[in-house]
């Protein structure tokens, strides 16, 4: 009797090497480009579907239970790294912001928080020249030059390293650097965003440091508010907290539990995207929830952070709150921190005014701002070139840590 083998009526799972890392106040799943299934190594539907399944989206329950996401914009993130073929760069960094509820990945911007993990991950994945890593042990810092593919910009990560007992240079991940929004201390990673604004474009896309922004129909008490529109790090719309009916000390529960308020804020974001030239009309905002960001600023004031920690007005220059993917961010997006640094160090913007910059003839070069989880110090250098404002460099300190290295499993028919 001949025995026949029937084909299974289900799709087996495939495994792909992956690293799960925290970078700043975000977490993401990191891949080496060459480890991805061949059809996922190029942009397209297969790659997007693969990454969506990894993270567990789209999820109408909003929890991403069947993937590595955690129902938060801060953890619904993917990164693809590869050796850079660009001169004077070590690694290419491609970021994908995965929508939680929709089958969509936004490739339009960078994640500043996960940027802090890119250098360390690239070293651990063997993507950085071995001789460069070996010699970096002499001063304890490996300078990783990153090409951020989403926005076409250079970022420098100063990754701490040490020589282990076997004589091998390793990334230092633990330490005593404390980052508000992250429970445990870790090693400090200094990040420099080089020329975050194209030399051919204006950092302020409207040509003004402050505009009268039409917000009619958005449910505010006025049809027009003052706004600073800036493209540095990530396109961002800054408004005064008081003009929006806020104090600037809001926590997530004050905003994210109010569905009507979230709708109003999304309407404002859509209008701002049109003003900045990012959308042809407001409806286009539905296809790009990653950009622009909206934020509100206020003068320094005391409040209790989400952890209960007291933030004193004397310890900060201003307060800032920002929305990310339709929710108030639990701390501050790294790219929005770049925008804050650039705007705060440009005299005449709303951010600079909130930081007290209008009270001094000297241009600010760094500010410490209060956010829902605590505070963050950022530095910047801006100047006018041929009548256009340019940010030459923005810097900040973050930390990063590997949480898991192994394989992620995805059903073979998912992509």
């Amino acid at each position: 009797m001949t025995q026949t083998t029937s084909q299974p009526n289900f799709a087996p799972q495939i495994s792909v090497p992956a690293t799960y890392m925290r970078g700043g106040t975000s977490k993401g799943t990191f891949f080496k480009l060459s480890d991805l299934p061949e059809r996922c190594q190029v942009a397209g539907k297969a790659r997007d579907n693969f990454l969506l399944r990894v993270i567990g989206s789209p999820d109408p329950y909003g929890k991403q239970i069947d993937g590595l996401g955690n129902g938060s914009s801060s953890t619904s993130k993917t990164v693809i790294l590869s050796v850079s073929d660009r001169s004077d760069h070590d690694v290419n960094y491609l970021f994908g912001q995965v929508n939680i509820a929709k089958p969509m990945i936004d490739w339009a911007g960078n994640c500043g928080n996960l940027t802090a993990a890119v250098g360390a991950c690239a070293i651990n994945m063997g993507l950085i020249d071995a001789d460069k890593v070996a010699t970096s042990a002499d001063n304890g810092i490996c300078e990783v030059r990153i090409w951020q593919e989403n926005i076409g910009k250079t970022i420098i990560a100063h990754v701490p390293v040490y020589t282990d007992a076997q004589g091998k240079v390793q990334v230092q991940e633990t330490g005593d650097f404390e980052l508000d929004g992250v429970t445990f201390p870790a090693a400090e990673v200094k990040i420099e965003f080089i020329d975050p604004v194209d030399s051919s474009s204006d950092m302020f896309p409207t040509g003004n440091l402050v505009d009268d922004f039409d917000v009619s129909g958005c449910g505010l008490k006025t049809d027009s508010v003052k706004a600073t529109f800036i493209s540095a790090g990530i396109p961002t719309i800054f408004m005064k907290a008081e003009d929006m009916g806020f104090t600037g000390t809001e926590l997530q529960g004050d905003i994210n539990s109010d569905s009507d308020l979230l709708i109003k804020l999304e309407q404002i974001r859509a209008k701002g995207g049109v003003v900045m030239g990012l959308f042809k009309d407001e409806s286009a905002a539905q296809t790009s929830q990653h950009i622009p960001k909206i934020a509100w600023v206020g003068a320094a004031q005391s409040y209790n952070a989400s952890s209960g920690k007291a933030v004193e007005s004397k310890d900060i220059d201003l307060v800032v709150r920002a929305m990310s993917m339709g929710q108030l961010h639990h701390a501050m997006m790294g790219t929005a921190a770049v925008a804050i640094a650039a705007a705060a160090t440009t005299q005449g913007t709303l951010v600079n005014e909130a930081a007290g910059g209008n009270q001094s003839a000297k241009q600010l070069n760094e500010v410490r701002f209060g956010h829902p989880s605590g505070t963050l110090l950022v530095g910047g250098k801006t100047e006018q070139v041929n009548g256009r404002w340019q940010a030459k460099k923005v810097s900040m300190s973050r930390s990063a840590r590997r949480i898991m290295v192994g394989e992620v499993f995805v059903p073979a028919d998912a992509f």
Side-chain angles (χ1 to χ4, degrees), residues 4 6 14 164 176 189 203 253 257 264 269 274 277 326 352 380:
T4 59
S6 61
I14 66 161
D164 65 15
D176 58 7
V189 180
M203 187 162 69
S257 60
K264 293 176 184 178
R269 190 186 76 88
V274 174
N352 177 264

Side-chain angles (χ1 to χ4, degrees), residues 84 86-87 89 91-95 107-111 115 145-156 192-201 231-235 335 390-391:
S84 182
R86 300 182 68 89
S87 62
H89 288 80
V91 62
N92 294 331
Y93 158 39
L94 183 67
F95 167 69
W107 299 97
N110 177 31
C111 175
T115 297
R145 296 184 65 87
I146 301 163
W147 179 248
Q148 214 301 318
E149 292 187 287
N150 303 78
I151 59 176
K153 293 295 176 184
T154 299
I155 303 171
I156 301 174
E192 294 177 287
F193 297 81
I194 308 300
D195 292 323
V197 180
D198 289 330
S199 59
S200 60
S201 61
S231 289
I234 199 163
T335 48
Q390 296 289 313

Side-chain angles (χ1 to χ4, degrees), residues 72 143 149 182 191 225 242:
S72 159
E143 183 182 285
E149 292 187 287
V182 178
I191 304 293
V225 298
E242 60 189 85

Side-chain angles (χ1 to χ4, degrees), residues 67-346:
L68 289 174
N70 192 36
S72 159
S73 66
S74 299
T75 58
S76 190
K77 299 171 181 282
T78 58
V79 170
I80 300 173
L81 302 180
S82 59
V83 174
S84 182
D85 56 1
R86 300 182 68 89
S87 62
D88 203 27
H89 288 80
D90 299 302
V91 62
N92 294 331
Y93 158 39
L94 183 67
F95 167 69
Q97 178 71 54
V98 179
N99 193 290
I100 296 172
K102 300 177 182 178
M104 183 172 74
I105 298 180
D106 199 325
W107 299 97
N110 177 31
C111 175
N113 274 303
L114 288 188
T115 297
V118 169
C121 189
I123 293 172
N124 289 324
M125 284 183 170
L127 296 173
I128 308 301
D129 180 77
D131 290 337
K132 178 175 183 173
V133 175
T135 57
S136 68
D138 295 339
N139 63 7
I141 296 292
C142 184
E143 183 182 285
V144 179
R145 296 184 65 87
I146 301 163
W147 179 248
Q148 214 301 318
E149 292 187 287
N150 303 78
I151 59 176
K153 293 295 176 184
T154 299
I155 303 171
I156 301 174
H158 299 269
V159 182
V161 295
Y162 69 99
T163 303
D164 65 15
Q166 287 72 46
K168 183 178 180 181
V169 178
Q170 304 279 6
V171 173
Q172 178 189 342
E173 296 176 287
T174 59
D176 58 7
F177 175 73
E178 295 186 358
L179 178 65
D180 285 338
V182 178
T183 303
F184 303 106
E188 180 180 11
V189 180
K190 294 182 178 179
I191 304 293
E192 294 177 287
F193 297 81
I194 308 300
D195 292 323
V197 180
D198 289 330
S199 59
S200 60
S201 61
D202 200 314
M203 187 162 69
F204 303 98
T206 65
N208 304 314
L209 298 181
V210 178
D211 284 277
D212 291 315
F213 178 26
D214 178 12
V215 290
S216 56
C218 294
L220 299 185
K221 292 182 179 180
T222 178
D223 288 339
S224 179
V225 298
K226 298 293 184 181
T228 290
F229 298 93
I230 187 170
S231 289
I234 199 163
T236 307
I237 309 154
F238 289 107
M239 292 160 283
K240 294 181 179 180
E242 60 189 85
D243 288 347
M244 301 179 70
F246 298 143
T247 64
T249 61
E250 290 77 19
L251 302 182
Q252 281 191 303
D254 301 320
I255 304 296
N256 297 344
S257 60
D258 189 334
S259 58
D260 290 338
L261 177 57
L262 294 178
I263 291 172
K264 293 176 184 178
L265 292 171
E266 177 60 18
Q267 290 173 332
I268 294 171
R269 190 186 76 88
K271 281 181 174 286
V274 174
V275 173
M276 298 184 79
L278 300 171
F279 309 138
K280 289 183 179 179
D281 55 55
E282 294 171 30
S283 64
Q286 295 301 310
T287 62
S288 181
Q289 291 194 317
H290 190 49
I291 61 171
K293 303 298 187 187
I294 64 169
W296 52 96
V297 300
Q301 52 195 293
S302 300
Y303 65 96
N304 287 329
S306 55
S307 64
K309 172 185 174 182
V311 177
E312 302 294 340
S313 60
K314 63 181 177 61
D315 296 328
I316 56 177
D317 299 296
L318 74 161
V319 291
V320 189
R321 299 296 187 263
M323 300 293 291
S324 176
M325 302 295 287
Q327 301 280 299
L328 180 69
H329 197 274
H330 71 101
M332 184 55 61
M333 304 83 78
T335 48
V338 173
I340 292 167
T345 55
T346 303

Side-chain angles (χ1 to χ4, degrees), residues 4-21:
T4 59
T5 302
S6 61
Q7 293 297 315
N9 59 358
F10 59 88
Q13 292 212 96
I14 66 161
S15 62
V16 176
T19 300
Y20 194 59
M21 288 195 73

Side-chain angles (χ1 to χ4, degrees), residues 19-22 27 173 401-405:
T19 300
Y20 194 59
M21 288 195 73
R22 177 186 63 76
K27 289 190 292 187
E173 296 176 287
R401 186 177 75 86
R402 283 175 297 179
I403 296 173
M404 184 281 297
V405 177

